[in-house]
Amino acid sequence: MTQKIQSVPSVSVSYAANGSSTKANAMGMRPMQERAYEKRGEQYLLIKSPPASGKSRALMFIALDKLANQGLKQAIIVVPERSIGASFHDEPLTQFGFWEDWHVEPRRNLCDAAGGDNGGKVNSVEAFLKSDDKVLVCTHATFRFAVDRFGVEAFDDRLIAVDEFHHVSSDSDNKLGHHLGAFIARDKVHIVAMTGSYFRGDAVDVLSPQDEAKFDTVTYTYYEQLNGYRYLKHLDIGYFFYSGSYAEDILKVLDPNQKTIIHIPSVNSRESTKDKMKEVEHIIENLGDWQGADPVTGFQLVKTEDGRTLRIADLVDDDKNKRDRVSTALKDPTQKNNRDHVDIIIALGMAKEGFDWIWCEHALTVGYRSSLTEIIQIIGRATRDAPGKTRARFTNLIAEPDASEQAVTEAVNDTLKAIAASLLMEQVLAPRFEFRSKASTNEPTDGFDYGDEGYQPDKCNVGFNEEKGKFQIEIKGLAEPKSEEATRICEEDLNEVITAFVQDKTALERGLFDKELVPEELTISRMGKIIKDKYPELDEEDQEAVRQHAIAALNLTQQAAHIATSGDGEPGANTALIDGVRKFAMDVRELDIDLIDRINPFGEAYSILAKAMSEESLKQVAAVIGAKRATMTLEEARVLSKRALKFMQERGRLPSITSTDPWEKSMAEGVAFLARMKAEAARG
């Protein structure tokens, strides 16, 4: 067995579980759905809401109104994969107070039909367009082929609803993004776009800025969703480092008593042993004695040491018939509310977005996922509300950098990406921020709690609105946005700005490992450059306002989290982060933007990393990053490496990248430089 895994307790949040997000109004709408329905008259609507918040049903309400009251002929629901099409099966909405039921003719849900996306299914789209039927459900692929064949004009006066909208991008290679741009340019359809994650910092923008400006946005935050559950009160997100094979260490973080989805790594990834079947077998064998497979469901039956029989769904098996039987059993609607139906699901590319298993308590993922969107989708598997389920967690197993490993630079990159994801998830799970400049004319706002002493005109106040899940924070010297677009960014898109910043490798590397760093080089210069590149249409004043709002949101969340986790005992539900922000604001003489700019945004992340990673691995990470900053030639590196070899012969150790001796540090930089060049050459 390898050394004991250490955890990075990167995010741990508590919620009130007040039941508000699960309560329906007189028409059967939950709060998010009601909020979206209020915007049903918009031609272009973007719904940004977490997994399990009810986006599918929200679309049903909106689509029925557009068909009945807004003059649209038909509604076409577009989903990324066939399995998600089940979310749009018939729903008896009138039973819960709405004025019409949701109905899709069986032949018009093409996700239920056999065959490929091209050919017959495209013909079915054509037949639907010529028919009197009102609703069609198909995959993104089928829709793309249909638009290619019939042109955008064939869809005039119809609703195009795109589920899991983050699959779209404005990149010229993204066909669906290109088609949506053409629909918007023609301006003869209505579009409803839905996503649980709209992190454009992942890759290319989803929409061009001019197209995005046409959309009205409905935002329902993770905080509102989780705070309003009935049962789930705690969510923990942790990163665990391992060395050797993950299959040996996974059981140190896998609790067989928790309902768990395990996502094993892609066979092309560094974490994979290149034999996915053996990896699954190893996990099953170490959980207990295999008892065979259930003949009906195909689930693997494993008897544990305490005499329980685990039911394990293997979605990795290459035998399509076996895998389909297991997949069908997992979707069995009669078992949806049966907690004992299955205990552990092992998957590779499946069981992510759109996969609904309310009992899942633990999403365990091996290897870093390059997309924050994918991480949010995976975490969303565990954040369903269910009776008796008070705590959920996401665990990411990541290979610890190893000096002997050829792909050491890749390992370091994965570590940095994990830290970035941790910072972003902390931001995603926190309440929203409303910043305003401190002024003598400011007054308290109805609905905000300003603490025991109430609103104080002579101080920078911190208010919190429990119902809206929103902070109101006064900051001296804060630049206010002037334009409508800058105001929208500060209100809706701060997380997207922060995503771009913390995923900027230069900022992250320097913030974590440059001991001579002046924080303003990141908070002002680097963040400023990112915002100028991201929003070139804004003038300098608005760019500065967006920068200040974004860095305030990031740094205040980090400082509050540090305060919340450094106290004695477990904080009360739903108060730790709020109390942390208030305490930070009270502990400083005056909360001003200059003070916020002087905080290293990555300081808290480094302290967590230093506790979680072995000292040797931490040095290795510092060495790789130090070498990337070093400006030296290959020949200089070879000379320094030779001197380093002599140093080791004399001292019994390699030079240290963190040494106070400039010469020793230079030798270490030369060694790290050569190691990086070698690793890059090996990867081609």
Side-chain angles (χ1 to χ4, degrees):
M1 278 289 191
T2 53
Q3 65 183 31
K4 185 178 179 181
I5 295 172
Q6 300 180 54
S7 75
V8 182
S10 50
V11 183
S12 184
V13 286
S14 300
Y15 296 94
N18 59 32
S20 62
S21 65
T22 59
K23 291 177 183 174
N25 66 8
M27 288 199 292
M29 299 177 190
R30 285 151 50 186
M32 185 283 287
Q33 295 159 351
E34 184 176 14
R35 189 178 300 175
Y37 192 67
E38 288 172 357
K39 298 280 186 76
R40 63 190 180 278
E42 299 293 334
Q43 182 178 358
Y44 301 117
L45 187 62
L46 171 62
I47 301 173
K48 293 159 58 172
S49 183
S53 58
K55 290 189 290 295
S56 301
R57 189 164 292 198
L59 176 59
M60 295 176 190
F61 293 129
I62 292 169
L64 287 171
D65 187 85
K66 285 186 178 293
L67 292 170
N69 302 317
Q70 298 181 41
L72 294 189
K73 297 176 181 177
Q74 295 174 312
I76 300 172
I77 318 297
V78 188
V79 300
E81 58 183 64
R82 289 172 57 188
S83 62
I84 299 177
S87 300
F88 297 97
H89 285 163
D90 289 2
E91 286 289 348
L93 301 179
T94 55
Q95 287 185 16
F96 310 103
F98 197 62
W99 43 267
E100 188 171 338
D101 288 331
W102 176 258
H103 174 66
V104 182
E105 290 292 332
R107 62 179 175 159
R108 300 306 185 198
N109 192 329
L110 304 185
C111 293
D112 294 338
D117 290 300
N118 207 342
K121 290 190 179 180
V122 175
N123 293 335
S124 296
V125 174
E126 182 180 31
F128 168 76
L129 293 172
K130 294 177 179 178
S131 76
D132 293 327
D133 291 333
K134 292 299 182 182
V135 183
L136 177 83
V137 182
C138 68
T139 63
H140 287 186
T142 297
F143 185 69
R144 290 197 309 267
F145 288 127
V147 177
D148 280 340
R149 187 184 298 182
F150 309 125
V152 293
E153 59 277 4
F155 297 85
D156 285 356
D157 303 318
R158 290 170 174 85
L159 168 65
I160 310 297
V162 184
D163 197 14
E164 308 295 358
F165 191 58
H166 48 267
H167 285 261
V168 179
S169 89
S170 58
D171 189 290
S172 59
D173 292 333
N174 188 293
K175 265 291 187 67
L176 186 53
H178 174 74
H179 289 330
L180 285 174
F183 278 120
I184 293 170
R186 183 170 172 79
D187 204 30
K188 290 186 179 293
V189 298
H190 286 214
I191 297 174
V192 176
M194 304 183 295
T195 179
S197 175
Y198 195 61
F199 284 90
R200 292 160 297 171
D202 279 356
V204 183
D205 284 355
V206 175
L207 294 170
S208 66
Q210 60 268 30
D211 284 346
E212 182 171 339
K214 296 179 180 178
F215 278 76
D216 203 293
T217 302
V218 174
T219 300
Y220 192 69
T221 65
Y222 244 109
Y223 181 89
E224 290 177 284
Q225 169 77 351
L226 295 174
N227 203 52
Y229 274 164
R230 292 179 60 194
Y231 309 103
L232 185 61
K233 295 183 179 182
H234 305 280
L235 177 61
D236 302 315
I237 298 177
Y239 294 88
F240 294 76
F241 293 99
Y242 70 92
S243 57
S245 168
Y246 86 83
E248 296 294 329
D249 276 335
I250 193 170
L251 293 174
K252 293 181 182 177
V253 291
L254 171 58
D255 182 353
N257 294 307
Q258 289 186 321
K259 302 292 185 181
T260 304
I261 298 178
I262 303 170
H263 284 107
I264 68 170
S266 160
V267 292
N268 298 318
S269 70
R270 186 171 50 87
E271 293 84 2
S272 175
T273 65
K274 312 308 176 190
D275 191 334
K276 61 181 182 180
M277 305 299 291
K278 282 191 176 179
E279 291 172 20
V280 173
E281 288 173 7
H282 184 85
I283 293 169
I284 290 175
E285 286 170 1
N286 280 273
L287 285 168
D289 294 326
W290 184 64
Q291 305 292 302
D294 184 298
V296 177
T297 63
F299 297 162
Q300 305 297 314
L301 306 177
V302 175
K303 192 170 185 179
T304 64
E305 287 184 357
D306 60 7
R308 291 187 309 122
T309 298
L310 296 176
R311 299 172 63 80
I312 301 173
D314 175 9
L315 292 172
V316 181
D317 199 314
D318 279 330
D319 187 322
K320 187 177 183 302
N321 291 329
K322 289 182 180 179
R323 195 173 65 244
D324 286 349
R325 184 193 307 168
V326 170
S327 182
T328 300
L330 290 174
K331 296 173 189 173
D332 184 351
T334 66
Q335 299 294 332
K336 183 175 182 178
N337 296 317
N338 179 9
R339 188 180 188 278
D340 299 323
H341 182 52
V342 66
D343 298 292
I344 294 173
I345 298 171
I346 305 176
L348 204 161
M350 302 174 71
K352 293 178 184 175
E353 64 186 15
F355 183 81
D356 190 8
W357 181 34
I358 63 170
W359 305 107
C360 177
E361 300 165 285
H362 187 191
L364 173 54
T365 299
V366 183
Y368 179 72
R369 294 323 196 242
S370 60
S371 162
L372 181 68
T373 293
E374 185 176 0
I375 292 171
I376 284 186
Q377 289 292 344
I378 292 173
I379 292 173
R381 300 319 100 202
T383 56
R384 263 65 174 166
D385 203 30
K389 175 179 161 183
T390 59
R391 195 164 209 125
R393 63 179 175 137
F394 166 74
T395 301
N396 198 179
L397 271 179
I398 299 170
E400 194 167 74
D402 182 348
S404 65
E405 189 179 0
Q406 268 197 331
V408 63
T409 304
E410 189 179 338
V412 169
N413 286 340
D414 283 353
T415 299
L416 294 175
K417 289 173 183 175
I419 294 168
S422 165
L423 291 166
L424 291 169
M425 284 310 303
E426 197 148 32
Q427 212 70 40
V428 168
L429 296 168
R432 297 176 74 183
F433 289 99
E434 176 190 302
F435 297 112
R436 62 177 181 172
S437 181
K438 180 60 184 174
S440 58
T441 54
N442 286 0
E443 294 182 350
T445 303
D446 289 343
F448 283 87
D449 173 12
Y450 294 95
D452 295 338
E453 297 181 12
Y455 186 87
Q456 301 178 67
D458 58 334
K459 291 187 177 180
C460 290
N461 293 274
V462 176
F464 186 68
N465 185 309
E466 173 74 27
E467 183 182 349
K468 295 181 179 179
K470 180 187 283 188
F471 280 114
Q472 183 193 80
I473 301 176
E474 294 178 333
I475 301 173
K476 185 178 180 183
L478 181 76
E480 299 280 9
K482 300 291 192 298
S483 70
E484 187 176 322
E485 175 63 4
T487 301
R488 184 196 68 78
I489 293 166
C490 289
E491 291 176 353
E492 299 285 347
D493 278 2
L494 287 187
N495 280 353
E496 277 71 30
V497 177
I498 293 169
T499 299
F501 178 65
V502 303
Q503 290 186 328
D504 179 76
K505 290 181 69 176
T506 301
L508 190 56
E509 290 171 354
R510 290 201 64 201
L512 287 170
F513 293 103
D514 187 349
K515 293 183 178 179
E516 298 176 359
L517 173 74
V518 177
E520 288 92 335
E521 293 176 8
L522 296 184
T523 59
I524 295 176
S525 300
R526 196 71 191 175
M527 177 69 96
K529 181 182 184 304
I530 287 169
I531 287 168
K532 284 178 182 178
D533 291 344
K534 193 172 182 64
Y535 303 110
E537 71 281 4
L538 298 181
D539 64 26
E540 288 188 7
E541 287 187 18
D542 272 343
Q543 288 173 347
E544 174 61 9
V546 171
R547 183 200 71 77
Q548 290 185 13
H549 281 67
I551 208 65
L554 175 58
N555 271 344
L556 285 175
T557 300
Q558 290 301 299
Q559 294 301 304
H562 171 71
I563 292 169
T565 56
S566 59
D568 296 327
E570 185 170 328
N574 196 33
T575 63
L577 188 66
I578 301 161
D579 294 343
V581 170
R582 282 206 175 113
K583 188 173 189 308
F584 176 72
M586 285 169 29
D587 284 351
V588 299
R589 186 176 61 82
E590 198 165 41
L591 191 60
D592 62 61
I593 192 62
D594 291 337
L595 168 72
I596 292 168
D597 277 335
R598 287 196 294 270
I599 299 169
N600 178 359
F602 306 106
E604 179 61 16
Y606 179 80
S607 66
I608 292 172
L609 186 66
K611 293 174 187 174
M613 189 179 282
S614 69
E615 185 179 355
E616 194 58 41
S617 291
L618 198 61
K619 286 180 179 178
Q620 180 70 19
V621 173
V624 170
I625 291 172
K628 290 173 70 176
R629 288 202 309 270
T631 54
M632 65 176 68
T633 66
L634 187 59
E635 187 57 36
E636 287 171 341
R638 285 174 178 152
V639 171
L640 286 168
S641 295
K642 289 178 182 177
R643 299 296 301 197
L645 182 60
K646 185 177 180 182
F647 180 97
M648 188 174 69
Q649 291 168 345
E650 292 173 351
R651 308 281 185 92
R653 64 177 178 84
L654 280 169
S656 171
I657 196 80
T658 58
S659 173
T660 55
D661 176 62
W663 177 233
E664 181 180 342
K665 185 177 180 181
S666 293
M667 288 186 286
E669 287 173 347
V671 172
F673 185 93
L674 279 186
R676 182 165 61 90
M677 291 295 103
K678 184 178 179 181
E680 289 177 356
R683 293 200 306 275

